[in-house]
Amino acid sequence: MNKGKKLYEGKAKILYEGPEKGTAIQHFKDDATAFNNLKKSTVEGKGVLNNRISEHILNNINQIGIKTHLIKRLNMREQLVRLVEILPVEFIVRNIATGSLTKKLGIADGTVLSKPLIEYSYKNDDLGDPLVAKEHIIEFNWATATELDLIKKHCLRINDFMQGMFRGVGIKLVDFKLEFGRANIDGKKEIILADEISPDTCRLWDVVSEKKLDKDRFRKDLGNIIQAYQEVARRLGIIHEETNITSVKFGKPKAVNIKKK
Ligand code: UDP
């Protein structure tokens, strides 16, 4: 599939114009960054794994009735997606306290939260993606109150679903980040899930050993990053036991129709 012009290049992905109006091609890079770009590296095979893992999770989310931007995976590194007007807000869902929550508020790392906690941060690298309140989002027109209510419901539903999915393969879903956008569907603006869900955007701990199977291996220099991402893909049944992601070529995915719900 021919890519159009580059629309946007982020830290881990590039977005190109898609073959039809309203579509885009999302390309997964091997670049890894942390601490607002202060730490940078290349992790060979990461993009291929995140492409597959994110495809798997977004397809499942679509099946539970939440629309996503994913149309289909195209190849090892690319997905055909709906072009959305992304909201400038990151939606963080937490089940266990760790990362910035423990640093900012002094909560003990590993504290199990009594119910999922949703946080909002304003997507702005220059400001370091600051935590904001719902009132900021509405005041500055980043999203409407109605959109926020719907997104909150989606976040909780996605969290329930993903917690179950990961728990079934011996993984605790500690926290994750979601992004939503407005898409034009049948002439109507709708809020849909966008971006990616992968070990880059989630914290995933082995249920028994609490071993980190996510980007914290990069953030904290724990090593074996790609092995951890492969482990997640294997447990989810996306790749097979013997697969080594850096040497394998995936076959073409089956074409699927855009699901209209
Ligand atoms: N996260 C993300 N992108 C960001 C910030 C956070 O994907 O720009 C994810 C992160 O991987 C973790 C969750 O959101 O799963 C919560 O991250 P946290 O706020 O603890 O930030 P961090 O400690 O990574 O700075």
mmCIF file of all heavy atoms in Angstrom, residues 90 92 94 98-100 103 129 175-177 200-203 219, ligand 1:
data_model
loop_
_atom_site.group_PDB
_atom_site.id
_atom_site.type_symbol
_atom_site.label_atom_id
_atom_site.label_comp_id
_atom_site.label_asym_id
_atom_site.label_seq_id
_atom_site.Cartn_x
_atom_site.Cartn_y
_atom_site.Cartn_z
ATOM 1 N N GLU A 90 -3.687 12.939 27.634
ATOM 2 C CA GLU A 90 -3.394 11.522 27.846
ATOM 3 C C GLU A 90 -4.252 11.060 29.012
ATOM 4 O O GLU A 90 -4.321 11.739 30.045
ATOM 5 C CB GLU A 90 -1.914 11.321 28.175
ATOM 6 C CG GLU A 90 -1.030 11.631 26.979
ATOM 7 C CD GLU A 90 0.431 11.300 27.198
ATOM 8 O OE1 GLU A 90 0.854 11.148 28.364
ATOM 9 O OE2 GLU A 90 1.143 11.204 26.193
ATOM 10 N N ILE A 92 -4.632 8.382 31.778
ATOM 11 C CA ILE A 92 -3.859 7.358 32.476
ATOM 12 C C ILE A 92 -4.797 6.601 33.412
ATOM 13 O O ILE A 92 -5.521 7.226 34.191
ATOM 14 C CB ILE A 92 -2.736 7.997 33.343
ATOM 15 C CG1 ILE A 92 -1.921 9.018 32.556
ATOM 16 C CG2 ILE A 92 -1.876 6.932 34.016
ATOM 17 C CD1 ILE A 92 -0.832 8.510 31.705
ATOM 18 N N ARG A 94 -4.919 3.704 36.396
ATOM 19 C CA ARG A 94 -4.018 3.013 37.333
ATOM 20 C C ARG A 94 -4.788 2.043 38.220
ATOM 21 O O ARG A 94 -5.846 2.401 38.756
ATOM 22 C CB ARG A 94 -3.335 4.027 38.260
ATOM 23 C CG ARG A 94 -2.522 5.070 37.536
ATOM 24 C CD ARG A 94 -1.896 6.013 38.536
ATOM 25 N NE ARG A 94 -1.171 7.088 37.879
ATOM 26 C CZ ARG A 94 0.097 7.020 37.489
ATOM 27 N NH1 ARG A 94 0.793 5.921 37.689
ATOM 28 N NH2 ARG A 94 0.678 8.060 36.906
ATOM 29 N N THR A 98 2.453 3.265 41.101
ATOM 30 C CA THR A 98 3.879 3.192 40.775
ATOM 31 C C THR A 98 4.206 4.407 39.904
ATOM 32 O O THR A 98 3.332 5.242 39.660
ATOM 33 C CB THR A 98 4.237 1.845 40.068
ATOM 34 O OG1 THR A 98 5.650 1.691 40.037
ATOM 35 C CG2 THR A 98 3.679 1.775 38.664
ATOM 36 N N GLY A 99 5.440 4.535 39.466
ATOM 37 C CA GLY A 99 5.822 5.607 38.536
ATOM 38 C C GLY A 99 5.563 6.989 39.100
ATOM 39 O O GLY A 99 5.801 7.247 40.287
ATOM 40 N N SER A 100 5.031 7.866 38.236
ATOM 41 C CA SER A 100 4.891 9.279 38.630
ATOM 42 C C SER A 100 3.950 9.466 39.819
ATOM 43 O O SER A 100 4.105 10.399 40.605
ATOM 44 C CB SER A 100 4.429 10.121 37.440
ATOM 45 O OG SER A 100 3.125 9.774 37.090
ATOM 46 N N LYS A 103 6.016 9.035 42.877
ATOM 47 C CA LYS A 103 6.998 10.128 42.997
ATOM 48 C C LYS A 103 6.328 11.424 43.438
ATOM 49 O O LYS A 103 6.803 12.130 44.311
ATOM 50 C CB LYS A 103 7.719 10.342 41.664
ATOM 51 C CG LYS A 103 8.871 9.379 41.486
ATOM 52 C CD LYS A 103 9.664 9.713 40.232
ATOM 53 C CE LYS A 103 10.043 8.453 39.485
ATOM 54 N NZ LYS A 103 9.368 8.269 38.207
ATOM 55 N N ASP A 129 4.161 17.274 29.848
ATOM 56 C CA ASP A 129 2.858 16.589 29.999
ATOM 57 C C ASP A 129 2.285 16.725 31.412
ATOM 58 O O ASP A 129 2.121 15.725 32.133
ATOM 59 C CB ASP A 129 2.986 15.087 29.657
ATOM 60 C CG ASP A 129 3.302 14.833 28.192
ATOM 61 O OD1 ASP A 129 3.221 15.783 27.392
ATOM 62 O OD2 ASP A 129 3.629 13.686 27.851
ATOM 63 N N ASP A 175 -0.808 -0.189 35.239
ATOM 64 C CA ASP A 175 -1.355 1.082 34.736
ATOM 65 C C ASP A 175 -1.161 1.156 33.231
ATOM 66 O O ASP A 175 -0.464 0.320 32.649
ATOM 67 C CB ASP A 175 -0.721 2.300 35.448
ATOM 68 C CG ASP A 175 0.784 2.388 35.275
ATOM 69 O OD1 ASP A 175 1.310 1.878 34.272
ATOM 70 O OD2 ASP A 175 1.442 2.974 36.159
ATOM 71 N N PHE A 176 -1.794 2.100 32.599
ATOM 72 C CA PHE A 176 -1.619 2.294 31.155
ATOM 73 C C PHE A 176 -2.127 3.658 30.741
ATOM 74 O O PHE A 176 -2.818 4.337 31.498
ATOM 75 C CB PHE A 176 -2.313 1.189 30.338
ATOM 76 C CG PHE A 176 -3.801 1.069 30.568
ATOM 77 C CD1 PHE A 176 -4.715 1.647 29.693
ATOM 78 C CD2 PHE A 176 -4.299 0.358 31.649
ATOM 79 C CE1 PHE A 176 -6.085 1.532 29.900
ATOM 80 C CE2 PHE A 176 -5.672 0.243 31.868
ATOM 81 C CZ PHE A 176 -6.559 0.828 30.992
ATOM 82 N N LYS A 177 -1.773 4.015 29.513
ATOM 83 C CA LYS A 177 -2.160 5.325 28.954
ATOM 84 C C LYS A 177 -3.008 5.121 27.698
ATOM 85 O O LYS A 177 -2.699 4.240 26.891
ATOM 86 C CB LYS A 177 -0.876 6.078 28.574
ATOM 87 C CG LYS A 177 -1.079 7.471 28.111
ATOM 88 C CD LYS A 177 -0.780 7.801 26.675
ATOM 89 C CE LYS A 177 0.176 7.004 25.904
ATOM 90 N NZ LYS A 177 0.415 7.482 24.545
ATOM 91 N N ASP A 200 4.923 -0.443 25.666
ATOM 92 C CA ASP A 200 5.443 0.938 25.745
ATOM 93 C C ASP A 200 4.490 1.839 26.529
ATOM 94 O O ASP A 200 4.900 2.860 27.064
ATOM 95 C CB ASP A 200 5.570 1.546 24.331
ATOM 96 C CG ASP A 200 6.962 1.387 23.742
ATOM 97 O OD1 ASP A 200 7.778 0.667 24.344
ATOM 98 O OD2 ASP A 200 7.224 1.985 22.681
ATOM 99 N N THR A 201 3.216 1.488 26.538
ATOM 100 C CA THR A 201 2.210 2.390 27.115
ATOM 101 C C THR A 201 1.483 1.782 28.325
ATOM 102 O O THR A 201 0.523 2.375 28.821
ATOM 103 C CB THR A 201 1.164 2.786 26.046
ATOM 104 O OG1 THR A 201 0.456 1.608 25.639
ATOM 105 C CG2 THR A 201 1.789 3.435 24.822
ATOM 106 N N CYS A 202 1.917 0.597 28.722
ATOM 107 C CA CYS A 202 1.309 -0.070 29.883
ATOM 108 C C CYS A 202 2.416 -0.456 30.862
ATOM 109 O O CYS A 202 3.561 -0.637 30.469
ATOM 110 C CB CYS A 202 0.667 -1.405 29.498
ATOM 111 S SG CYS A 202 -0.634 -1.353 28.281
ATOM 112 N N ARG A 203 2.064 -0.646 32.124
ATOM 113 C CA ARG A 203 2.975 -1.342 33.040
ATOM 114 C C ARG A 203 2.383 -2.718 33.294
ATOM 115 O O ARG A 203 1.212 -2.842 33.677
ATOM 116 C CB ARG A 203 3.176 -0.571 34.333
ATOM 117 C CG ARG A 203 4.087 0.634 34.163
ATOM 118 C CD ARG A 203 4.666 1.102 35.477
ATOM 119 N NE ARG A 203 5.609 2.183 35.280
ATOM 120 C CZ ARG A 203 5.288 3.488 35.301
ATOM 121 N NH1 ARG A 203 4.036 3.850 35.512
ATOM 122 N NH2 ARG A 203 6.216 4.404 35.131
ATOM 123 N N ARG A 219 13.344 2.272 30.943
ATOM 124 C CA ARG A 219 13.460 3.452 31.814
ATOM 125 C C ARG A 219 14.471 3.221 32.934
ATOM 126 O O ARG A 219 15.248 4.092 33.270
ATOM 127 C CB ARG A 219 12.104 3.786 32.458
ATOM 128 C CG ARG A 219 11.027 4.256 31.506
ATOM 129 C CD ARG A 219 9.808 4.769 32.294
ATOM 130 N NE ARG A 219 8.672 5.048 31.438
ATOM 131 C CZ ARG A 219 7.665 4.178 31.229
ATOM 132 N NH1 ARG A 219 7.649 3.001 31.836
ATOM 133 N NH2 ARG A 219 6.680 4.514 30.421
HETATM 134 N N1 UDP B 1 2.605 6.574 29.794
HETATM 135 C C1 UDP B 1 2.745 6.612 28.415
HETATM 136 N N2 UDP B 1 3.144 7.782 27.827
HETATM 137 C C2 UDP B 1 3.414 8.903 28.526
HETATM 138 C C3 UDP B 1 3.266 8.858 29.935
HETATM 139 C C4 UDP B 1 2.861 7.680 30.536
HETATM 140 O O1 UDP B 1 2.490 5.626 27.730
HETATM 141 O O2 UDP B 1 3.763 9.922 27.924
HETATM 142 C C5 UDP B 1 2.170 5.331 30.449
HETATM 143 C C6 UDP B 1 3.306 4.647 31.199
HETATM 144 O O3 UDP B 1 3.951 3.703 30.387
HETATM 145 C C7 UDP B 1 2.597 4.002 32.344
HETATM 146 C C8 UDP B 1 1.392 4.909 32.615
HETATM 147 O O4 UDP B 1 1.206 5.651 31.423
HETATM 148 O O5 UDP B 1 2.116 2.736 31.949
HETATM 149 C C9 UDP B 1 1.575 5.831 33.791
HETATM 150 O O6 UDP B 1 2.786 6.525 33.651
HETATM 151 P P1 UDP B 1 3.300 7.518 34.756
HETATM 152 O O7 UDP B 1 2.348 8.646 34.890
HETATM 153 O O8 UDP B 1 3.620 6.753 35.993
HETATM 154 O O9 UDP B 1 4.564 8.167 34.120
HETATM 155 P P2 UDP B 1 6.091 7.812 34.160
HETATM 156 O O10 UDP B 1 6.384 7.215 35.500
HETATM 157 O O11 UDP B 1 6.235 6.882 33.011
HETATM 158 O O12 UDP B 1 6.702 9.149 33.937
#
